[in-house]
Amino acid sequence: MIKKFIRKMLGVKNKPDEALGNRKPKVLHAKEHGIDPQLLSSNAIRVTQTLQENGFKAFVVGGAVRDLLLGVKPKDFDIATNATPEQVKRLFRRAFIIGRRFQIVHVMFGQDLLEVTTFRGPATEAAPKDEHGRVLRDNTFGEQHEDAVRRDFTINAMYYDPSSQTVLDYHGGIADIRKKILRIIGVPEARYREDPVRMLRVVRFAAKLQFTIDAATRAPIAIMAPLINNVPSARVFDEMLKLLMSGHAMACLQQLRKEGLHHGLMPLLDVVLEQPLGEKFVTLALANTDQRVLQGKTVSPGFLFASLLWHQVVEKWDAYKAAGELSIPALHLAADDVLNTQTDALALQRKIGSDMRDIWAMQPRFEKRAGKTPYKLLENTRLRAGYDFLLLRCASGEIEAEIGEWWTAFINGDEAEREHLLTIKPKHESSGPAKKRRPRRNAPRKASE
Ligand code: ATP
Ligand code: MG
């Protein structure tokens, strides 16, 4: 019923040959596609060349081709080939077969990692699925045109051969790149059912590339959004992390909300997008993250999630203190509460959780600006993260700016300056978040959309 309705609504006709993929790709030469060969990594060339010299087909594929066509240096290179994982492994000194759902080969050169995948065949009817139609395992190899049809978007289904400098375009990806359109391959509803994570990918690419989502690609998302609930949380978490670290986190979150994908799906998103308390803080944290990513700096997931969940911690911290706990134990209890909920819901890895806890636990220690405590904090290996976090709290108005300025001077100062700073009496002696600024508990919450 719903299927029929969506098809009718979208004007999608069943095209039997589409499921098999367009057999003949459009071939574009250097003059037509204009890819700058300088943007290619030497290791990507090495891998494709080695495979080709051994009689196999090999191409750069997916996001790297998309980025090359947009004139952007790809952050990593995926390679597609007709060699089987075993055959690939034999050709490289450091190559490892990984993955169960679909085997791929990791080829390493120093720190650089390239993912080499064998062309995938058509999804068989017999492939195991869950009760909602999500494909659980499918390990069939196939022809290149079959591999193309299984990829998610037209702009992600192009193949580039560095030796001949040609692009093979099976699904009109070039035209869509030029028109800045994100279009899913095949019948959108079926593709989301097979793998609901594709809905999150739509949002990420649209926000990151600033592309328009094709109407037929977009329409079923609002209806099918709840299917994401059936995806293992570790996979949703991976996609969320990519989204938050895309350099366009804020735009992605706004787009998620626009598509109706945030609601009830990921508890973390409900917290982030619907908390009046920490909106300014979260906005600043995400802007800060975006800026770092765009400058090519590293972003730690621990810092990111510590920021996203901070105001939930603050709320609970206040509640424990109001119930009579001392400040430091109250903070630890609050951190436990928040981490316990989010670890279950989000599959937060243990390392990320412990980084978050370290950053939070350091915060009250910045309040102590006398005696030996500040020196001890200087030796803390996580000082940088804790201090950056402190600055965010200042910038959001949660605590006085003066405390951040004091720490900047203390960290950068020499011995004499530090001794002098320790003699200054803080303007505002406080313990924990500035009480004056805490919004009233009964402040009206924003109506959720
Ligand atoms: P990014 O720049 O974020 O790495 P990407 O397009 O390379 O973008 P990856 O997750 O690295 O994204 O995936 C590589 C390629 O594999 C994609 O371009 C697409 O062709 C294919 N792909 C990835 N995930 C899916 C999926 N869920 N369904 C279908 N194809 C997918
Ligand atoms: Mg990629």
Side-chain angles (χ1 to χ4, degrees):
M1 263 297 279
I2 294 181
K3 270 189 205 172
K4 255 194 195 158
F5 170 71
I6 294 174
R7 293 238 173 85
K8 210 169 145 191
M9 209 167 71
L10 306 178
V12 176
K13 294 185 191 75
N14 278 332
K15 288 185 243 161
D17 56 331
E18 193 173 83
L20 298 170
N22 304 334
R23 282 171 185 276
K24 288 241 170 340
K26 192 169 173 194
V27 182
L28 290 106
H29 300 284
K31 253 197 270 157
E32 297 155 287
H33 59 65
I35 287 179
D36 175 3
Q38 301 276 355
L39 294 177
L40 240 79
S41 88
S42 54
N43 290 332
I45 298 173
R46 212 156 133 187
V47 173
T48 47
Q49 217 166 33
T50 306
L51 283 160
Q52 289 169 354
E53 281 165 7
N54 283 275
F56 299 110
K57 286 186 179 183
F59 299 87
V60 172
V61 71
V65 184
R66 178 194 72 220
D67 290 347
L68 287 170
L69 286 165
L70 291 169
V72 177
K73 196 173 175 60
K75 64 175 164 43
D76 47 41
F77 287 86
D78 296 326
I79 311 293
T81 179
N82 61 348
T84 63
E86 290 294 339
Q87 287 169 326
V88 175
K89 186 174 151 67
R90 260 178 255 139
L91 293 177
F92 301 95
R93 204 164 56 83
R94 291 177 63 215
F96 313 93
I97 298 179
I98 61 145
R100 252 188 310 169
R101 191 164 170 264
F102 191 76
Q103 284 192 334
I104 60 176
V105 187
H106 276 176
V107 178
M108 312 273 310
F109 299 103
Q111 292 285 49
D112 196 15
L113 180 147
L114 289 98
E115 272 187 19
V116 183
T117 42
T118 305
F119 295 145
R120 299 178 68 172
T124 53
E125 276 301 311
K129 301 188 185 76
D130 72 5
E131 74 266 33
H132 306 282
R134 187 170 65 87
V135 177
L136 298 174
R137 240 181 352 272
D138 197 0
N139 247 330
T140 45
F141 299 137
E143 300 288 326
Q144 188 167 3
H145 69 274
E146 293 167 334
D147 184 81
V149 82
R150 296 197 50 165
R151 294 188 176 268
D152 46 8
F153 307 107
T154 59
I155 59 165
N156 281 350
M158 288 179 278
Y159 301 77
Y160 179 64
D161 175 3
S163 63
S164 64
Q165 292 190 29
T166 47
V167 169
L168 304 187
D169 176 11
Y170 285 88
H171 293 280
I174 286 268
D176 283 344
I177 283 220
R178 295 197 172 135
K179 285 186 280 185
K180 293 186 176 292
I181 286 183
L182 190 67
R183 191 193 312 273
I184 202 158
I185 297 169
V187 179
E189 181 217 337
R191 302 305 308 282
Y192 297 141
R193 195 171 292 285
E194 278 169 11
D195 182 7
V197 166
R198 289 175 186 146
M199 292 187 270
L200 298 178
R201 291 175 63 86
V202 167
V203 166
R204 173 159 66 92
F205 290 123
K208 176 176 155 181
L209 304 171
Q210 291 173 308
F211 274 31
T212 315
I213 307 170
D214 159 64
T217 298
R218 183 174 185 190
I221 294 180
I223 307 167
M224 301 185 78
L227 285 182
I228 294 181
N229 285 325
N230 310 317
V231 178
S233 49
R235 200 156 166 245
V236 175
F237 180 75
D238 282 350
E239 195 55 40
M240 277 276 297
L241 204 54
K242 281 192 184 178
L243 200 138
L244 292 167
M245 296 179 126
S246 65
H248 304 268
M250 202 62 214
C252 282
L253 292 190
Q254 279 157 355
Q255 185 92 33
L256 274 181
R257 176 181 251 182
K258 205 163 126 197
E259 303 305 332
L261 276 169
H262 70 296
H263 221 91
L265 292 174
M266 284 161 270
L268 174 71
L269 283 188
D270 284 342
V271 175
V272 173
L273 295 171
E274 280 162 23
Q275 55 171 344
L277 280 172
E279 202 170 308
K280 180 140 187 235
F281 185 86
V282 165
T283 308
L284 275 171
L286 291 178
N288 187 36
T289 307
D290 286 349
Q291 203 184 2
R292 287 186 68 92
V293 173
L294 297 176
Q295 288 169 348
K297 293 185 187 163
T298 55
V299 175
S300 101
F303 187 90
L304 184 59
F305 285 104
S307 314
L308 295 180
L309 294 170
W310 172 240
H311 275 264
Q312 221 185 20
V313 173
V314 169
E315 214 174 322
K316 290 182 194 286
W317 186 14
D318 283 350
Y320 277 116
K321 281 193 290 191
E325 267 311 334
L326 292 171
S327 179
I328 304 266
L331 175 59
H332 283 275
L333 287 169
D336 284 346
D337 282 359
V338 171
L339 282 174
N340 287 340
T341 335
Q342 297 296 337
T343 311
D344 291 349
L346 255 184
L348 267 185
Q349 291 140 19
R350 206 169 298 164
K351 166 84 175 77
I352 299 181
S354 80
D355 286 354
M356 292 161 71
R357 186 188 295 279
D358 287 351
I359 291 170
W360 292 335
M362 219 184 284
Q363 297 311 306
R365 299 174 64 189
F366 287 113
E367 306 274 343
K368 302 212 166 61
R369 286 182 273 160
K372 297 249 179 299
T373 318
Y375 284 108
K376 275 206 197 120
L377 212 47
L378 282 187
E379 288 160 21
N380 191 313
T381 49
R382 310 301 316 278
L383 173 70
R384 188 77 219 180
Y387 162 73
D388 284 345
F389 198 85
L390 178 81
L391 293 186
L392 269 182
R393 294 174 64 209
C394 294
S396 72
E398 181 205 327
I399 53 172
E400 302 297 336
E402 180 262 332
I403 182 168
E405 287 157 14
W406 189 95
W407 273 98
T408 305
F410 192 75
I411 290 170
N412 298 322
D414 60 17
E415 198 56 35
E417 280 167 85
R418 286 179 181 166
E419 282 306 311
H420 170 67
L421 283 162
L422 289 172
T423 63
I424 302 173
K425 185 119 188 74
K427 272 185 234 150
H428 301 274
E429 201 74 73
S430 66
S431 59
K435 291 200 172 68
K436 290 183 297 237
R437 290 179 181 268
R438 206 172 63 211
R440 283 177 295 127
R441 279 201 180 283
N442 56 357
R445 292 186 79 90
K446 259 194 215 159
S448 52
E449 281 162 30

